[in-house]
Amino acid sequence: MTLNDDRTEAPVPRSMSDEIIIRMEGVQKWFGDFQALKDVNLEVRKGERIVVCGPSGSGKSTLIRCINQLEQHQQGRIVVNGIELGAGARHLDAVRREVGMVFQSFNLFPHLTVLQNCMLAPLKVRGMAKDEAKAIAMKYLQRVRIPEQADKFPGQLSGGQQQRVAIARALCMNPKIMLFDEPTSALDPEMVKEVLDTMISLAQDGMTMLCVTHEMGFAKSVADRVIFMDRGEIVEQNTPEEFFSNPRSERTKLFLSQILSH
Amino acid sequence: MIRSFSINEFYFLLSAVQWTLALSAIAFLGGAIAGLLIALGRTSPIKPVRLAATGYIQVFQGTPLLMQLFLVFFGATVLGIDMNPWAAAALGLTLNASAFLGEIWRGCIQSVPRGQWEAASALGLRYPGLMRYVILPQAVKVALPPTVGYLVQLIKGTSLAAIIGFTELTRAGQIVNNATFQPFLVFSIVAALYFVLCWPLSLLAARLEARYAAPGR
């Protein structure tokens, strides 16, 4: 962490409510013999910003992918926005409409323009009229500050621009929760900031966010809570101040020493 | 009476090309429609559908096309259906083409990166919309060169319809040869006519492949 990093200077104000929007109880997940999640219990309040970190293979991506069921948990309960997951396709559709996701590799649709990428789900999932979908798409492209790229194809944009489009595309569904799966890990260093700035501005608007990231500056300035995972378990969770200055478990200390040492 | 090979015999062969083309077109269109269903079945999230599509492909890829034509032609008679060689050839080739196109297109569908399926699912698109708006448009680009390549195979495959008595190019060649007894000349001309049909398609397939194999995919 350097002093001139402007991300740390103005902590984002807390905007949590007491309402629980995600509840995970005793969640277990296996890939074959490998146990990816071990008895995970987690409650997320509306408006809460959570950063999930941990070594690779620790289950952090699996954790957030269970929330919109890109991975199915095998035991335990997951309730999102009052809807229990695993209770049928209709419940799954309802949850996915409320949960946006941003991927490490952007996953924009290469055969569609930026605008069409943003309009697809509002048109085909929400059943919006074309004008309305376009207005919403342009609103969020403005929001991520690339409205002028609307008619380009994803392949014509830089990585940072693509990831901002991916954020806009998710926002067009007007989700209550946003999941970020290592959103800056595939970016060239000079593009990390533009994506983090977009995420910070989203946090300022009170979005409920779960971010798997190793951007510890982002965690310090934005997160209400940092969760550390290792070998499929939540090892430690705390406010960023406590988490970074006073880590309790040995595994956390080792992890922090590895990522903050240079 | 032995006739000599004249321009009239040549015209007869040339006019048989239209039946080869008609049979190819029907088998290709029918095979494409059924093949799409087979490809979707092979990549279906529902296991029994996947197994059924796999079985279908294995039966048609694991037996000779000629046997399939025989079974359709003579099988129809056994079932008491009066099927002429034209209909039998069209049906047999359609079934065969659907299995091969189905398997080609399965590979193309599965070549679309997993992240595309995940992003579409995460946006709330269900299977039909996900396929129609996200996966198939990308799979089509990959599918174009091998599909044109397969069309060449199909055109040549229609020659087997001669054996069940459908008068296309090869059968026309046999008829002319029976009258002229100049097999080398006659079948050279027949082969040349097939080549004229197939060669431009092979060139097209190669060009499409070069175009869509461009970086960025």
Side-chain angles (χ1 to χ4, degrees), chain B residues 38-98:
Chain B
I38 296 295
L40 291 174
R42 277 283 271 130
T43 56
S44 166
I46 306 158
K47 199 174 178 189
V49 175
R50 244 180 4 248
L51 288 177
T54 307
Y56 181 89
I57 289 172
Q58 283 173 351
V59 166
F60 282 96
Q61 288 197 338
T63 53
L65 173 57
L66 184 57
M67 292 308 122
Q68 294 162 22
L69 292 177
F70 279 166
L71 287 174
V72 171
F73 186 51
F74 298 118
T77 316
V78 170
L79 294 174
I81 304 164
D82 183 25
M83 194 178 270
N84 62 35
W86 168 226
L91 181 61
L93 281 163
T94 294
L95 293 173
N96 184 269
S98 68

Short mmCIF file of all heavy atoms in Angstrom, two decimals, chain B residues 38-98:
data_model
loop_
_atom_site.label_atom_id
_atom_site.label_comp_id
_atom_site.label_asym_id
_atom_site.label_seq_id
_atom_site.Cartn_x
_atom_site.Cartn_y
_atom_site.Cartn_z
N ILE B 38 -30.26 -33.24 -33.37
CA ILE B 38 -29.33 -34.23 -32.83
C ILE B 38 -28.20 -33.55 -32.05
O ILE B 38 -27.84 -33.97 -30.95
CB ILE B 38 -28.72 -35.08 -33.98
CG1 ILE B 38 -29.82 -35.89 -34.68
CG2 ILE B 38 -27.63 -36.01 -33.46
CD1 ILE B 38 -30.48 -36.93 -33.82
N ALA B 39 -27.67 -32.45 -32.62
CA ALA B 39 -26.58 -31.73 -31.95
C ALA B 39 -27.05 -31.17 -30.62
O ALA B 39 -26.34 -31.22 -29.61
CB ALA B 39 -26.05 -30.61 -32.85
N LEU B 40 -28.26 -30.60 -30.60
CA LEU B 40 -28.80 -30.06 -29.35
C LEU B 40 -29.03 -31.20 -28.36
O LEU B 40 -28.79 -31.05 -27.15
CB LEU B 40 -30.12 -29.31 -29.60
CG LEU B 40 -29.97 -27.99 -30.37
CD1 LEU B 40 -31.33 -27.40 -30.71
CD2 LEU B 40 -29.15 -26.98 -29.57
N GLY B 41 -29.48 -32.36 -28.88
CA GLY B 41 -29.68 -33.52 -28.02
C GLY B 41 -28.37 -33.99 -27.40
O GLY B 41 -28.30 -34.28 -26.21
N ARG B 42 -27.31 -33.99 -28.21
CA ARG B 42 -26.00 -34.45 -27.72
C ARG B 42 -25.43 -33.53 -26.65
O ARG B 42 -24.63 -33.95 -25.84
CB ARG B 42 -25.01 -34.53 -28.90
CG ARG B 42 -25.10 -35.78 -29.70
CD ARG B 42 -24.44 -36.95 -29.00
NE ARG B 42 -23.03 -37.06 -29.33
CZ ARG B 42 -22.06 -37.18 -28.43
NH1 ARG B 42 -22.34 -37.19 -27.17
NH2 ARG B 42 -20.81 -37.28 -28.81
N THR B 43 -25.82 -32.25 -26.68
CA THR B 43 -25.30 -31.30 -25.69
C THR B 43 -26.36 -30.93 -24.66
O THR B 43 -26.20 -29.98 -23.93
CB THR B 43 -24.82 -30.01 -26.39
OG1 THR B 43 -25.93 -29.47 -27.14
CG2 THR B 43 -23.68 -30.26 -27.34
N SER B 44 -27.43 -31.71 -24.62
CA SER B 44 -28.54 -31.39 -23.71
C SER B 44 -28.13 -31.61 -22.26
O SER B 44 -27.34 -32.49 -21.94
CB SER B 44 -29.74 -32.29 -24.04
OG SER B 44 -30.66 -32.23 -22.99
N PRO B 45 -28.70 -30.79 -21.36
CA PRO B 45 -28.47 -31.06 -19.94
C PRO B 45 -29.22 -32.30 -19.44
O PRO B 45 -28.94 -32.79 -18.36
CB PRO B 45 -28.98 -29.79 -19.24
CG PRO B 45 -29.76 -29.02 -20.25
CD PRO B 45 -29.48 -29.57 -21.60
N ILE B 46 -30.14 -32.82 -20.26
CA ILE B 46 -30.95 -33.97 -19.82
C ILE B 46 -30.31 -35.27 -20.31
O ILE B 46 -30.14 -35.49 -21.51
CB ILE B 46 -32.39 -33.85 -20.37
CG1 ILE B 46 -32.97 -32.50 -19.97
CG2 ILE B 46 -33.27 -34.99 -19.87
CD1 ILE B 46 -34.11 -32.04 -20.85
N LYS B 47 -29.96 -36.14 -19.38
CA LYS B 47 -29.15 -37.31 -19.73
C LYS B 47 -29.83 -38.27 -20.71
O LYS B 47 -29.17 -38.71 -21.67
CB LYS B 47 -28.74 -38.05 -18.45
CG LYS B 47 -27.55 -38.96 -18.69
CD LYS B 47 -27.03 -39.60 -17.42
CE LYS B 47 -25.88 -40.55 -17.74
NZ LYS B 47 -25.49 -41.35 -16.58
N PRO B 48 -31.09 -38.67 -20.54
CA PRO B 48 -31.71 -39.59 -21.50
C PRO B 48 -31.70 -39.03 -22.93
O PRO B 48 -31.50 -39.79 -23.89
CB PRO B 48 -33.15 -39.73 -20.99
CG PRO B 48 -33.10 -39.36 -19.56
CD PRO B 48 -32.01 -38.35 -19.44
N VAL B 49 -31.89 -37.73 -23.07
CA VAL B 49 -31.85 -37.10 -24.40
C VAL B 49 -30.45 -37.23 -24.99
O VAL B 49 -30.28 -37.56 -26.17
CB VAL B 49 -32.25 -35.61 -24.29
CG1 VAL B 49 -32.10 -34.91 -25.64
CG2 VAL B 49 -33.67 -35.48 -23.77
N ARG B 50 -29.45 -37.00 -24.14
CA ARG B 50 -28.06 -37.12 -24.59
C ARG B 50 -27.76 -38.54 -25.06
O ARG B 50 -27.15 -38.76 -26.10
CB ARG B 50 -27.13 -36.76 -23.43
CG ARG B 50 -26.32 -35.55 -23.72
CD ARG B 50 -25.35 -35.11 -22.63
NE ARG B 50 -25.18 -35.89 -21.44
CZ ARG B 50 -25.56 -35.49 -20.22
NH1 ARG B 50 -26.14 -34.34 -20.07
NH2 ARG B 50 -25.34 -36.25 -19.17
N LEU B 51 -28.22 -39.52 -24.28
CA LEU B 51 -27.95 -40.91 -24.61
C LEU B 51 -28.65 -41.31 -25.91
O LEU B 51 -28.07 -41.99 -26.76
CB LEU B 51 -28.42 -41.82 -23.47
CG LEU B 51 -27.56 -41.76 -22.21
CD1 LEU B 51 -28.16 -42.64 -21.12
CD2 LEU B 51 -26.13 -42.20 -22.51
N ALA B 52 -29.89 -40.87 -26.09
CA ALA B 52 -30.63 -41.20 -27.30
C ALA B 52 -29.93 -40.62 -28.52
O ALA B 52 -29.76 -41.31 -29.54
CB ALA B 52 -32.06 -40.67 -27.20
N ALA B 53 -29.50 -39.37 -28.44
CA ALA B 53 -28.81 -38.73 -29.57
C ALA B 53 -27.49 -39.43 -29.85
O ALA B 53 -27.12 -39.64 -31.02
CB ALA B 53 -28.58 -37.25 -29.28
N THR B 54 -26.79 -39.82 -28.80
CA THR B 54 -25.52 -40.53 -28.97
C THR B 54 -25.75 -41.86 -29.68
O THR B 54 -25.02 -42.23 -30.61
CB THR B 54 -24.85 -40.79 -27.61
OG1 THR B 54 -24.76 -39.54 -26.92
CG2 THR B 54 -23.46 -41.36 -27.77
N GLY B 55 -26.77 -42.59 -29.26
CA GLY B 55 -27.09 -43.88 -29.88
C GLY B 55 -27.41 -43.73 -31.36
O GLY B 55 -26.92 -44.50 -32.20
N TYR B 56 -28.21 -42.72 -31.67
CA TYR B 56 -28.58 -42.44 -33.06
C TYR B 56 -27.32 -42.22 -33.91
O TYR B 56 -27.16 -42.81 -34.99
CB TYR B 56 -29.47 -41.21 -33.08
CG TYR B 56 -29.97 -40.78 -34.45
CD1 TYR B 56 -31.15 -41.29 -34.97
CD2 TYR B 56 -29.26 -39.85 -35.21
CE1 TYR B 56 -31.62 -40.90 -36.21
CE2 TYR B 56 -29.73 -39.45 -36.45
CZ TYR B 56 -30.90 -39.97 -36.94
OH TYR B 56 -31.37 -39.58 -38.16
N ILE B 57 -26.42 -41.38 -33.40
CA ILE B 57 -25.20 -41.08 -34.15
C ILE B 57 -24.37 -42.34 -34.34
O ILE B 57 -23.86 -42.62 -35.43
CB ILE B 57 -24.39 -39.98 -33.43
CG1 ILE B 57 -25.12 -38.65 -33.55
CG2 ILE B 57 -22.98 -39.88 -33.99
CD1 ILE B 57 -24.52 -37.54 -32.71
N GLN B 58 -24.27 -43.15 -33.27
CA GLN B 58 -23.41 -44.34 -33.37
C GLN B 58 -23.96 -45.34 -34.37
O GLN B 58 -23.20 -45.95 -35.11
CB GLN B 58 -23.23 -44.96 -31.98
CG GLN B 58 -22.23 -44.15 -31.16
CD GLN B 58 -22.12 -44.60 -29.72
OE1 GLN B 58 -22.91 -45.42 -29.26
NE2 GLN B 58 -21.15 -44.05 -29.01
N VAL B 59 -25.27 -45.50 -34.42
CA VAL B 59 -25.87 -46.43 -35.39
C VAL B 59 -25.56 -45.98 -36.81
O VAL B 59 -25.12 -46.76 -37.66
CB VAL B 59 -27.39 -46.54 -35.17
CG1 VAL B 59 -28.06 -47.21 -36.37
CG2 VAL B 59 -27.68 -47.33 -33.90
N PHE B 60 -25.76 -44.69 -37.09
CA PHE B 60 -25.60 -44.23 -38.47
C PHE B 60 -24.14 -44.05 -38.88
O PHE B 60 -23.81 -44.13 -40.05
CB PHE B 60 -26.41 -42.96 -38.71
CG PHE B 60 -27.88 -43.26 -38.91
CD1 PHE B 60 -28.76 -43.18 -37.84
CD2 PHE B 60 -28.36 -43.66 -40.14
CE1 PHE B 60 -30.10 -43.48 -38.01
CE2 PHE B 60 -29.69 -43.97 -40.32
CZ PHE B 60 -30.57 -43.88 -39.25
N GLN B 61 -23.27 -43.77 -37.89
CA GLN B 61 -21.86 -43.68 -38.25
C GLN B 61 -21.20 -45.05 -38.28
O GLN B 61 -20.16 -45.21 -38.91
CB GLN B 61 -21.11 -42.78 -37.24
CG GLN B 61 -21.48 -41.31 -37.40
CD GLN B 61 -20.48 -40.38 -36.74
OE1 GLN B 61 -19.76 -40.76 -35.83
NE2 GLN B 61 -20.46 -39.13 -37.19
N GLY B 62 -21.81 -46.02 -37.62
CA GLY B 62 -21.19 -47.34 -37.50
C GLY B 62 -21.64 -48.35 -38.54
O GLY B 62 -21.21 -49.49 -38.51
N THR B 63 -22.53 -47.94 -39.44
CA THR B 63 -22.96 -48.86 -40.50
C THR B 63 -22.76 -48.17 -41.84
O THR B 63 -22.80 -46.95 -41.94
CB THR B 63 -24.46 -49.22 -40.34
OG1 THR B 63 -25.22 -48.02 -40.24
CG2 THR B 63 -24.69 -50.05 -39.08
N PRO B 64 -22.55 -48.95 -42.92
CA PRO B 64 -22.31 -48.34 -44.24
C PRO B 64 -23.56 -47.63 -44.76
O PRO B 64 -24.68 -48.10 -44.54
CB PRO B 64 -21.96 -49.52 -45.15
CG PRO B 64 -21.65 -50.66 -44.23
CD PRO B 64 -22.42 -50.42 -42.98
N LEU B 65 -23.35 -46.55 -45.43
CA LEU B 65 -24.46 -45.80 -46.02
C LEU B 65 -25.28 -46.69 -46.97
O LEU B 65 -26.51 -46.63 -46.98
CB LEU B 65 -23.90 -44.58 -46.78
CG LEU B 65 -24.91 -43.76 -47.60
CD1 LEU B 65 -26.05 -43.25 -46.74
CD2 LEU B 65 -24.19 -42.58 -48.28
N LEU B 66 -24.57 -47.56 -47.69
CA LEU B 66 -25.29 -48.43 -48.63
C LEU B 66 -26.28 -49.34 -47.90
O LEU B 66 -27.42 -49.53 -48.35
CB LEU B 66 -24.27 -49.28 -49.43
CG LEU B 66 -24.87 -50.16 -50.53
CD1 LEU B 66 -25.68 -49.34 -51.52
CD2 LEU B 66 -23.76 -50.92 -51.26
N MET B 67 -25.85 -49.87 -46.73
CA MET B 67 -26.76 -50.72 -45.95
C MET B 67 -27.96 -49.90 -45.48
O MET B 67 -29.09 -50.40 -45.45
CB MET B 67 -26.04 -51.29 -44.72
CG MET B 67 -24.95 -52.29 -45.05
SD MET B 67 -25.53 -53.60 -46.13
CE MET B 67 -24.40 -53.40 -47.51
N GLN B 68 -27.72 -48.65 -45.10
CA GLN B 68 -28.83 -47.82 -44.65
C GLN B 68 -29.82 -47.59 -45.78
O GLN B 68 -31.03 -47.63 -45.58
CB GLN B 68 -28.29 -46.48 -44.12
CG GLN B 68 -27.45 -46.64 -42.85
CD GLN B 68 -26.58 -45.44 -42.57
OE1 GLN B 68 -26.83 -44.34 -43.05
NE2 GLN B 68 -25.52 -45.65 -41.79
N LEU B 69 -29.31 -47.38 -46.98
CA LEU B 69 -30.21 -47.20 -48.14
C LEU B 69 -31.00 -48.48 -48.40
O LEU B 69 -32.21 -48.45 -48.63
CB LEU B 69 -29.41 -46.80 -49.38
CG LEU B 69 -28.76 -45.42 -49.34
CD1 LEU B 69 -27.93 -45.19 -50.61
CD2 LEU B 69 -29.80 -44.32 -49.21
N PHE B 70 -30.32 -49.64 -48.33
CA PHE B 70 -31.00 -50.92 -48.52
C PHE B 70 -32.10 -51.09 -47.49
O PHE B 70 -33.22 -51.48 -47.80
CB PHE B 70 -30.00 -52.08 -48.37
CG PHE B 70 -29.18 -52.35 -49.61
CD1 PHE B 70 -28.05 -53.16 -49.54
CD2 PHE B 70 -29.54 -51.80 -50.84
CE1 PHE B 70 -27.29 -53.41 -50.68
CE2 PHE B 70 -28.79 -52.06 -51.98
CZ PHE B 70 -27.66 -52.87 -51.89
N LEU B 71 -31.76 -50.80 -46.23
CA LEU B 71 -32.72 -51.03 -45.15
C LEU B 71 -33.94 -50.13 -45.31
O LEU B 71 -35.06 -50.56 -45.06
CB LEU B 71 -32.06 -50.81 -43.79
CG LEU B 71 -31.07 -51.92 -43.39
CD1 LEU B 71 -30.35 -51.56 -42.09
CD2 LEU B 71 -31.79 -53.26 -43.24
N VAL B 72 -33.72 -48.89 -45.71
CA VAL B 72 -34.86 -47.99 -45.91
C VAL B 72 -35.70 -48.48 -47.10
O VAL B 72 -36.92 -48.61 -47.01
CB VAL B 72 -34.39 -46.54 -46.17
CG1 VAL B 72 -35.56 -45.66 -46.61
CG2 VAL B 72 -33.75 -45.96 -44.92
N PHE B 73 -35.03 -48.83 -48.20
CA PHE B 73 -35.72 -49.21 -49.44
C PHE B 73 -36.50 -50.52 -49.26
O PHE B 73 -37.70 -50.59 -49.51
CB PHE B 73 -34.69 -49.34 -50.57
CG PHE B 73 -35.31 -49.57 -51.93
CD1 PHE B 73 -36.32 -48.75 -52.41
CD2 PHE B 73 -34.85 -50.61 -52.73
CE1 PHE B 73 -36.87 -48.96 -53.67
CE2 PHE B 73 -35.39 -50.83 -53.99
CZ PHE B 73 -36.41 -50.01 -54.46
N PHE B 74 -35.78 -51.55 -48.76
CA PHE B 74 -36.44 -52.86 -48.62
C PHE B 74 -37.28 -52.90 -47.36
O PHE B 74 -38.31 -53.59 -47.32
CB PHE B 74 -35.40 -53.98 -48.64
CG PHE B 74 -34.63 -54.03 -49.93
CD1 PHE B 74 -33.26 -53.84 -49.97
CD2 PHE B 74 -35.31 -54.24 -51.14
CE1 PHE B 74 -32.56 -53.87 -51.17
CE2 PHE B 74 -34.61 -54.27 -52.35
CZ PHE B 74 -33.24 -54.08 -52.36
N GLY B 75 -36.86 -52.16 -46.35
CA GLY B 75 -37.64 -52.11 -45.10
C GLY B 75 -39.03 -51.55 -45.34
O GLY B 75 -40.01 -52.02 -44.77
N ALA B 76 -39.12 -50.55 -46.18
CA ALA B 76 -40.41 -49.95 -46.49
C ALA B 76 -41.34 -50.98 -47.12
O ALA B 76 -42.52 -51.06 -46.78
CB ALA B 76 -40.23 -48.76 -47.42
N THR B 77 -40.76 -51.82 -48.01
CA THR B 77 -41.57 -52.86 -48.65
C THR B 77 -42.07 -53.86 -47.61
O THR B 77 -43.24 -54.26 -47.63
CB THR B 77 -40.72 -53.60 -49.71
OG1 THR B 77 -39.99 -52.62 -50.45
CG2 THR B 77 -41.59 -54.41 -50.65
N VAL B 78 -41.18 -54.24 -46.68
CA VAL B 78 -41.56 -55.17 -45.61
C VAL B 78 -42.73 -54.59 -44.81
O VAL B 78 -43.67 -55.30 -44.44
CB VAL B 78 -40.36 -55.46 -44.69
CG1 VAL B 78 -40.80 -56.22 -43.45
CG2 VAL B 78 -39.30 -56.26 -45.44
N LEU B 79 -42.67 -53.30 -44.55
CA LEU B 79 -43.73 -52.66 -43.77
C LEU B 79 -44.97 -52.37 -44.62
O LEU B 79 -45.94 -51.81 -44.13
CB LEU B 79 -43.22 -51.33 -43.18
CG LEU B 79 -42.12 -51.45 -42.13
CD1 LEU B 79 -41.61 -50.07 -41.73
CD2 LEU B 79 -42.62 -52.21 -40.90
N GLY B 80 -44.90 -52.75 -45.88
CA GLY B 80 -46.07 -52.57 -46.75
C GLY B 80 -46.22 -51.17 -47.30
O GLY B 80 -47.28 -50.79 -47.79
N ILE B 81 -45.11 -50.39 -47.20
CA ILE B 81 -45.16 -49.04 -47.77
C ILE B 81 -44.53 -49.09 -49.15
O ILE B 81 -43.45 -49.66 -49.32
CB ILE B 81 -44.38 -48.03 -46.88
CG1 ILE B 81 -44.94 -48.05 -45.46
CG2 ILE B 81 -44.45 -46.62 -47.47
CD1 ILE B 81 -44.02 -47.41 -44.44
N ASP B 82 -45.20 -48.55 -50.10
CA ASP B 82 -44.67 -48.54 -51.46
C ASP B 82 -43.76 -47.34 -51.61
O ASP B 82 -44.23 -46.21 -51.80
CB ASP B 82 -45.82 -48.49 -52.48
CG ASP B 82 -45.28 -48.54 -53.90
OD1 ASP B 82 -44.16 -49.08 -54.08
OD2 ASP B 82 -45.96 -48.03 -54.81
N MET B 83 -42.46 -47.57 -51.47
CA MET B 83 -41.53 -46.43 -51.51
C MET B 83 -40.71 -46.52 -52.79
O MET B 83 -40.06 -47.54 -53.05
CB MET B 83 -40.63 -46.47 -50.28
CG MET B 83 -39.87 -45.14 -50.07
SD MET B 83 -38.86 -45.19 -48.60
CE MET B 83 -40.00 -44.56 -47.39
N ASN B 84 -40.74 -45.47 -53.58
CA ASN B 84 -39.93 -45.49 -54.80
C ASN B 84 -38.47 -45.19 -54.45
O ASN B 84 -38.17 -44.70 -53.36
CB ASN B 84 -40.51 -44.52 -55.84
CG ASN B 84 -40.49 -43.08 -55.35
OD1 ASN B 84 -39.58 -42.68 -54.64
ND2 ASN B 84 -41.51 -42.32 -55.73
N PRO B 85 -37.56 -45.53 -55.38
CA PRO B 85 -36.13 -45.33 -55.09
C PRO B 85 -35.79 -43.87 -54.73
O PRO B 85 -34.93 -43.61 -53.88
CB PRO B 85 -35.46 -45.72 -56.40
CG PRO B 85 -36.42 -46.62 -57.07
CD PRO B 85 -37.79 -46.16 -56.67
N TRP B 86 -36.46 -42.94 -55.32
CA TRP B 86 -36.24 -41.52 -55.10
C TRP B 86 -36.50 -41.16 -53.63
O TRP B 86 -35.66 -40.57 -52.95
CB TRP B 86 -37.16 -40.77 -56.06
CG TRP B 86 -37.39 -39.29 -55.91
CD1 TRP B 86 -38.60 -38.67 -55.96
CD2 TRP B 86 -36.43 -38.25 -55.73
NE1 TRP B 86 -38.44 -37.32 -55.83
CE2 TRP B 86 -37.11 -37.04 -55.69
CE3 TRP B 86 -35.04 -38.24 -55.60
CZ2 TRP B 86 -36.48 -35.81 -55.51
CZ3 TRP B 86 -34.39 -37.02 -55.42
CH2 TRP B 86 -35.12 -35.83 -55.39
N ALA B 87 -37.66 -41.59 -53.13
CA ALA B 87 -38.00 -41.29 -51.74
C ALA B 87 -37.07 -42.04 -50.78
O ALA B 87 -36.62 -41.49 -49.76
CB ALA B 87 -39.45 -41.65 -51.45
N ALA B 88 -36.77 -43.29 -51.12
CA ALA B 88 -35.90 -44.08 -50.25
C ALA B 88 -34.51 -43.47 -50.18
O ALA B 88 -33.92 -43.38 -49.09
CB ALA B 88 -35.83 -45.52 -50.76
N ALA B 89 -33.99 -43.05 -51.33
CA ALA B 89 -32.66 -42.44 -51.34
C ALA B 89 -32.66 -41.14 -50.54
O ALA B 89 -31.74 -40.88 -49.75
CB ALA B 89 -32.22 -42.16 -52.78
N ALA B 90 -33.70 -40.32 -50.73
CA ALA B 90 -33.77 -39.05 -50.00
C ALA B 90 -33.85 -39.29 -48.50
O ALA B 90 -33.13 -38.65 -47.71
CB ALA B 90 -34.98 -38.24 -50.48
N LEU B 91 -34.69 -40.24 -48.08
CA LEU B 91 -34.84 -40.51 -46.65
C LEU B 91 -33.56 -41.09 -46.05
O LEU B 91 -33.08 -40.64 -45.00
CB LEU B 91 -36.01 -41.47 -46.43
CG LEU B 91 -36.30 -41.84 -44.97
CD1 LEU B 91 -36.65 -40.59 -44.16
CD2 LEU B 91 -37.44 -42.86 -44.88
N GLY B 92 -32.98 -42.08 -46.76
CA GLY B 92 -31.77 -42.71 -46.26
C GLY B 92 -30.63 -41.71 -46.12
O GLY B 92 -29.95 -41.66 -45.08
N LEU B 93 -30.43 -40.89 -47.12
CA LEU B 93 -29.34 -39.90 -47.07
C LEU B 93 -29.60 -38.84 -46.01
O LEU B 93 -28.68 -38.35 -45.37
CB LEU B 93 -29.16 -39.25 -48.45
CG LEU B 93 -28.38 -40.09 -49.46
CD1 LEU B 93 -28.60 -39.59 -50.88
CD2 LEU B 93 -26.88 -40.07 -49.14
N THR B 94 -30.89 -38.46 -45.84
CA THR B 94 -31.23 -37.48 -44.81
C THR B 94 -30.88 -38.01 -43.42
O THR B 94 -30.27 -37.30 -42.61
CB THR B 94 -32.73 -37.13 -44.87
OG1 THR B 94 -32.99 -36.47 -46.10
CG2 THR B 94 -33.14 -36.24 -43.73
N LEU B 95 -31.26 -39.26 -43.16
CA LEU B 95 -30.95 -39.85 -41.85
C LEU B 95 -29.44 -39.89 -41.62
O LEU B 95 -28.94 -39.52 -40.56
CB LEU B 95 -31.54 -41.27 -41.76
CG LEU B 95 -33.07 -41.36 -41.76
CD1 LEU B 95 -33.52 -42.81 -41.85
CD2 LEU B 95 -33.64 -40.70 -40.50
N ASN B 96 -28.73 -40.33 -42.66
CA ASN B 96 -27.28 -40.42 -42.55
C ASN B 96 -26.65 -39.04 -42.33
O ASN B 96 -25.80 -38.85 -41.46
CB ASN B 96 -26.74 -41.09 -43.81
CG ASN B 96 -25.24 -41.32 -43.73
OD1 ASN B 96 -24.46 -40.49 -44.13
ND2 ASN B 96 -24.85 -42.46 -43.16
N ALA B 97 -27.10 -38.06 -43.12
CA ALA B 97 -26.52 -36.71 -43.02
C ALA B 97 -26.82 -36.11 -41.65
O ALA B 97 -25.98 -35.40 -41.07
CB ALA B 97 -27.09 -35.81 -44.12
N SER B 98 -28.01 -36.39 -41.10
CA SER B 98 -28.35 -35.80 -39.80
C SER B 98 -27.41 -36.30 -38.71
O SER B 98 -27.04 -35.56 -37.80
CB SER B 98 -29.80 -36.09 -39.45
OG SER B 98 -29.98 -37.46 -39.20
#
